[in-house]
Amino acid sequence: MSLGRWLAEHLRPRLARSFNIVVVNPASRINSISDLITEAKANPGKLNFGTFGTGTSAHLAGELFDALAKVKMTAVPYKGAAPAISDLLGGQIDVMFTTVASAASLVAAGQLRALAVTSAERSTAFPQLPTVAEAGVPGYAAES
């Protein structure tokens, strides 16, 4: 089998690419990924991050952040993005890795503060936001 044929059969073009966004409550003293890392290193295991479920892209994005930033935050899984966002807004959790779809309108309304996107490149939806890698965690990219 030729290399071209093998590539055509095994590396299908992507139909879509999905990534998450890192958000905090706008009242939080965490204003950047750098602040998040500083706070997490100063308080190992005390900061928590919400996700829309165990094993989801958001959960894995948070765990990858912990590993590459060399911090330890506590994952708090929810049964969906809505209850996690409610707790983020209420101050029960410190940060959230979530889908752009679940956070975009709240970020636009100023109800959530976006820190970064988890993709390898900046998002066209949020061109002003750095990637997590650009913001201080080299090599970080969490996409599906």
Side-chain angles (χ1 to χ4, degrees):
M1 175 183 294
S2 73
L3 178 60
R5 184 171 175 186
W6 185 91
L7 290 171
E9 289 180 12
H10 292 91
L11 300 177
R12 305 266 182 224
R14 286 185 256 174
L15 296 176
R17 193 169 112 196
S18 178
F19 59 91
N20 290 295
I21 187 169
V22 186
V23 292
V24 295
N25 185 307
S28 172
R29 65 179 175 261
I30 298 169
N31 293 302
S32 65
I33 292 295
S34 254
D35 289 348
L36 179 58
I37 293 168
T38 299
E39 189 73 23
K41 284 186 176 183
N43 302 291
K46 292 187 180 172
L47 283 184
N48 51 48
F49 69 92
T51 73
F52 48 84
T54 301
T56 62
S57 64
H59 176 219
L60 297 177
E63 296 294 347
L64 180 63
F65 181 87
D66 272 7
L68 294 180
K70 296 178 176 66
V71 299
K72 180 59 186 145
M73 296 188 294
T74 302
V76 181
Y78 287 84
K79 290 182 180 180
I85 289 172
S86 291
D87 276 2
L88 182 61
L89 293 170
Q92 286 80 29
I93 57 175
D94 301 301
V95 63
M96 186 173 175
F97 291 78
T98 192
T99 63
V100 171
S102 66
S105 63
L106 296 168
V107 169
Q111 293 177 289
L112 291 176
R113 180 185 311 129
L115 303 181
V117 292
T118 66
S119 53
E121 295 92 28
R122 287 190 181 214
S123 163
T124 56
F126 292 98
Q128 76 284 8
L129 283 181
T131 66
V132 173
E134 289 176 323
V137 185
Y140 183 99
E143 304 176 348
S144 57

